[in-house]
């Protein structure tokens, strides 16, 4: 007897659901709750409509339409390209062009010329599809590099499955959990862990729309996901934070969780948060464990199947002594297949012996605990948990007639971790509205979260003898 590949979305096994493995609240989002059988029936109907496509774009608003579109693609074996719903003109055009998406699945943004395949929330189909090959591409997720336009991270079904099983193991995530978060549905954190994780494990998901302290306090879940900005806003509201005391685990990731926020969360909720580290390219590779030490400022040990190492600039080993800093390299079954149609960019991120260069610098102690010290490049900014390439923002600002020269940096920010600041040398006289004009220009061209929070008008940018801007002098 031959067996096909095991199901990526395990809780949506059609035979088991038909036999009664249903729950009334598989997904709650945007005020709509779908039972497991409704979700399966509606998503299978999406699969029927989209099955002949190879790759489709999904305007990833936090709605049931987005969830059904993504699950429909996974049932049919069609690659999904989640598009940030606030993408501006240039970013949207780039993602659609670069990904080669053939249609919008679900809602389309105004003015788009691509055909639209509708998602009907009330349609049902009970057709069964064979499980696609694990090597099939599940997602192309767009993410920023230090320069140039965002690249498409190609994630296979096998990588997604391995990544989800690894965190389920570290966090003892079971169908008895209720997952709560309000993160965007176009990144690894909110979409892959936050939606597919719940559907693989079989735990109900409550998506709160926005990740506000009020919504988290009201949701009454057991497992909460947030970026550090979410946790720091929660501890600013002690009465709301205290309502998370009944949770099982509070989990932080996508950016460093400040130690004072860790301590304050522990004080207010009685829970030391779990910290985990990952990337769009690698899913989650490091985490503290439900049954292990949770050390403020540290991101724990490799998850199931992951190995890590530190290298110096010459490629030599860096000791795991808790003090020596090195470039963090990882390998494991949840890594991506490469950047879409960018073999050179892909090759540049791998060592000759098959390790992925994360671009982060870290220390590892003798017990295997990791601390992320920072990034190798000042040109990758993390703001509110979003990764933003300085080069991408600079290019858009240079396209504005008021800008002669520009340097974009991430400066420390108590709320966002880093805030995007653009140092601008203006082209001649400029209006009083320059700051608002330039911020709006970036929000319109890229996406709202990539806009600078501050514009500083300067006479010159600090440059070295070679003419290169010295960003470390900008503060
Ligand atoms: C303000 N707004 C503007 C604007 N100025 N809109 C247009 N033009 C302008 N100039 C509006 C916005 O539209 C929005 O409106 C409102 O202002 C607030 O926007 P904001 O200030 O940018 O949002 P903020 O509250 O600061 O968001 C904080 C946050 C968000 C934490 C909610 O940063 C967030 O969701 N971060 C999650 C990032 C994430 O998921 N990263 C995971 C990457 S994966 P309105 O009406 O819409 O509110 C990864 C791997 C791993 O890293 O390890 O997980
Ligand atoms: P992204 O591609 O948006 O997934 O961003 C990945 C980057 O986020 C990593 O390379 C790190 O720089 C950062 N990151 C993610 N999780 C953590 C964490 N727990 N601590 C510190 N940095 C993190």
């Amino acid at each position: 007897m031959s067996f096909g590949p095991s199901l990526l979305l395990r809780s949506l096994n059609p035979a088991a659901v038909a036999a009664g493995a249903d729950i009334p609240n598989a997904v709650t989002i945007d005020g709509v709750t779908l039972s497991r059988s409704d979700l399966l029936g509606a998503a299978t109907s999406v699969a029927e409509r989209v099955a002949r496509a190879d790759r489709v774009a999904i305007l990833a608003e936090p709605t049931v339409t987005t969830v059904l579109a993504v699950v429909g693609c996974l049932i049919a074996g069609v690659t999904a390209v989640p598009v940030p719903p606030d993408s501006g003109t240039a970013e949207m055009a780039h993602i659609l062009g670069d990904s080669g998406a053939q249609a919008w699945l679900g809602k389309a943004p105004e003015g788009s010329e691509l055909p639209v395949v509708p998602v009907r929330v009330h349609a049902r189909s009970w057709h069964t599809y064979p499980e696609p090959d694990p090597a099939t591409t599940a997602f192309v997720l767009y993410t920023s590099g230090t320069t140039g336009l965002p690249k498409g991270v190609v994630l296979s079904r096998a990588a997604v499955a391995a990544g989800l099983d690894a965190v389920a193991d570290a966090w003892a995530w079971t169908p008895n959990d209720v997952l709560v978060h309000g993160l965007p549905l176009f990144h690894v954190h909110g979409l892959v862990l936050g939606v597919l994780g719940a559907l693989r494990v079989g735990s109900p998901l409550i998506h709160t729309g926005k990740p506000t302290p009020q919504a988290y306090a009201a949701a009454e879940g057991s497992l909460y996901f947030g970026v550090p900005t979410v946790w720091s806003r929660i501890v600013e509201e002690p009465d709301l934070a205290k309502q998370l005391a009944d949770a099982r685990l509070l989990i932080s990731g996508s950016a460093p969780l400040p130690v004072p926020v860790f301590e304050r969360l522990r004080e207010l909720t009685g829970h030391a948060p779990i910290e985990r580290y990952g990337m769009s390219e690698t899913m989650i590779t490091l985490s503290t464990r439900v049954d292990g030490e949770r050390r403020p400022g540290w991101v724990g040990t490799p998850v199931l199947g992951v190995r890590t190492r530190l290298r110096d600039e010459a490629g030599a080993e860096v000791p795991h002594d808790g003090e020596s800093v090195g470039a963090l390299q990882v390998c494991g079954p949840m890594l991506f297949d490469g950047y879409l149609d960018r073999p050179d960019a892909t090759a540049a991120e791998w060592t000759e012996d098959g390790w992925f260069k994360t671009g982060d610098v870290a220390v590892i102690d003798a017990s295997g605990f990791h601390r992320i010290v920072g990034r190798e490049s000042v040109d990758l900014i993390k703001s509110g948990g979003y990764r933003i390439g300085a080069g991408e923002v600079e290019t858009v600002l240079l396209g504005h007639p008021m800008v002669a020269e520009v340097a974009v940096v991430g400066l420390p920010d108590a709320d966002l971790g880093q805030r995007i600041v653009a140092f601008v040398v203006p082209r001649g006289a400029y209006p009083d509205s320059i700051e608002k004009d330039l911020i709006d220009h970036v929000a319109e061209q890229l996406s709202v979260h990539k806009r600078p929070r501050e514009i500083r008008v300067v006479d010159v940018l600090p440059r070295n003898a070679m003419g290169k801007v010295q960003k470390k002098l900008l503060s």
Side-chain angles (χ1 to χ4, degrees):
M1 196 166 144
S2 70
F3 293 93
S6 63
L7 295 181
L8 173 56
L9 301 179
R10 228 183 258 138
S11 74
L12 298 183
N13 179 341
V17 173
D22 201 0
I23 54 172
N25 53 344
V27 171
T28 302
I29 185 165
D30 196 25
V32 181
T33 297
L34 290 182
S35 69
R36 190 176 283 160
S37 64
D38 283 345
L39 174 59
L40 178 62
T44 307
S45 145
V46 172
E48 276 186 1
R49 253 171 278 127
V50 80
R52 275 179 300 168
D54 296 318
R55 205 176 283 164
V56 293
I58 299 172
L59 195 68
E61 292 173 336
T63 60
V64 75
T65 300
T66 298
V67 173
L68 292 175
V70 169
V71 175
C73 283
L74 290 172
I75 291 173
V78 172
T79 300
V81 184
V83 178
D86 66 348
S87 292
T89 324
E91 185 164 316
M92 179 84 74
H94 168 65
I95 294 178
L96 295 179
D98 189 76
S99 69
Q102 296 149 313
W104 286 103
L105 180 56
K107 194 172 161 186
E110 258 172 53
S112 174
E113 284 166 13
L114 281 184
V116 182
V117 179
V119 165
R120 299 204 175 92
V121 178
H122 299 291
R124 299 287 179 271
S125 162
W126 305 109
H127 185 79
T128 53
Y129 283 83
E131 182 69 4
D133 188 313
T136 312
T137 299
F139 294 106
V140 178
L141 299 175
Y142 277 81
T143 194
S144 301
T146 49
T147 57
L149 294 163
K151 298 189 283 286
V153 169
V154 177
L155 270 186
S156 70
R157 299 172 74 92
V160 169
L164 295 177
D165 289 349
V167 293
D169 169 72
W171 306 336
W173 185 359
T174 74
N176 295 328
D177 281 304
V178 175
L179 174 63
V180 176
H181 72 89
L183 297 170
L185 298 188
F186 46 88
H187 281 312
V188 157
H189 198 164
L191 179 64
V192 182
L193 304 184
V195 175
L196 305 188
L199 297 178
R200 184 163 174 83
V201 169
S203 65
L205 162 67
I206 299 172
H207 190 282
T208 60
K210 296 249 168 191
T212 61
Q214 292 75 9
Y216 276 38
E220 297 186 354
S222 67
L223 202 59
Y224 284 78
F225 290 173
V227 296
T229 301
V230 169
W231 296 118
S232 69
R233 290 181 184 182
I234 286 175
V235 299
E236 293 296 314
E237 307 264 5
D239 291 340
L240 297 174
K242 284 177 190 161
Q243 292 181 43
L244 301 181
D246 291 337
R248 189 174 69 81
L249 286 182
L250 310 180
I251 303 177
S252 180
S254 303
L257 182 68
V259 171
V261 178
F262 181 110
E263 299 293 8
R264 189 81 178 119
L265 256 185
R266 173 152 56 188
E267 233 172 86
L268 291 168
T269 67
H271 297 289
I274 291 270
E275 233 204 302
R276 96 296 178 286
Y277 158 88
M279 296 182 73
S280 305
E281 290 89 337
T282 67
M283 301 212 19
I284 304 311
T285 48
L286 296 164
S287 183
T288 54
R289 297 183 60 88
V290 66
D291 52 358
E293 183 191 355
R294 300 181 206 169
R295 195 187 302 170
W298 294 69
V299 293
T301 53
V303 297
L304 210 64
V306 170
R307 289 182 300 144
T308 60
R309 67 184 193 187
L310 298 178
R311 289 290 181 266
D312 69 14
E313 279 168 12
E317 267 179 49
V318 171
H320 296 185
D321 57 11
E323 284 176 12
S324 305
V325 176
L328 178 65
Q329 300 180 355
V330 300
C331 61
M334 60 288 283
L335 267 56
F336 72 141
D337 287 339
Y339 297 110
L340 185 68
D341 299 332
R342 301 286 303 272
D344 293 349
T346 303
E349 303 301 324
W350 294 84
T351 66
E352 278 175 11
D353 56 347
W355 292 68
F356 177 70
K357 300 189 241 175
T358 63
D360 290 302
V361 288
V363 300
I364 306 178
D365 77 6
S367 71
F369 248 63
H370 292 59
R371 183 164 67 84
I372 307 297
V373 175
R375 287 206 61 90
E376 282 176 300
S377 169
V378 290
D379 287 327
L380 267 193
I381 300 168
K382 265 269 153 160
S383 187
Y386 286 115
R387 168 167 150 189
I388 299 132
E392 191 187 351
V393 181
E394 286 162 356
T395 303
V396 166
L397 285 171
L398 282 172
H400 194 284
M402 276 181 219
V403 178
E405 291 174 49
V406 64
V408 166
V409 295
L411 297 186
D413 186 275
D415 179 45
L416 297 168
Q418 287 183 299
R419 74 178 180 286
I420 304 176
V421 178
F423 289 79
V424 169
V425 179
R427 193 178 291 285
Y430 57 89
D432 289 347
S433 60
I434 185 167
E435 177 159 47
K436 181 174 182 319
D437 292 349
L438 295 182
I439 291 174
D440 287 349
H441 177 65
V442 176
E444 280 158 20
Q445 291 293 314
L446 299 178
S447 36
V448 172
H449 65 261
K450 291 182 179 171
R451 72 190 189 278
R453 303 291 167 128
E454 227 184 286
I455 303 284
R456 296 206 197 152
V457 177
V458 292
D459 293 334
V460 284
L461 295 172
R463 294 184 185 273
N464 64 16
M466 311 290 288
K468 189 172 168 358
V469 176
Q470 294 182 287
K471 290 199 172 179
K472 296 221 159 100
L473 299 180
L474 295 171
S475 62

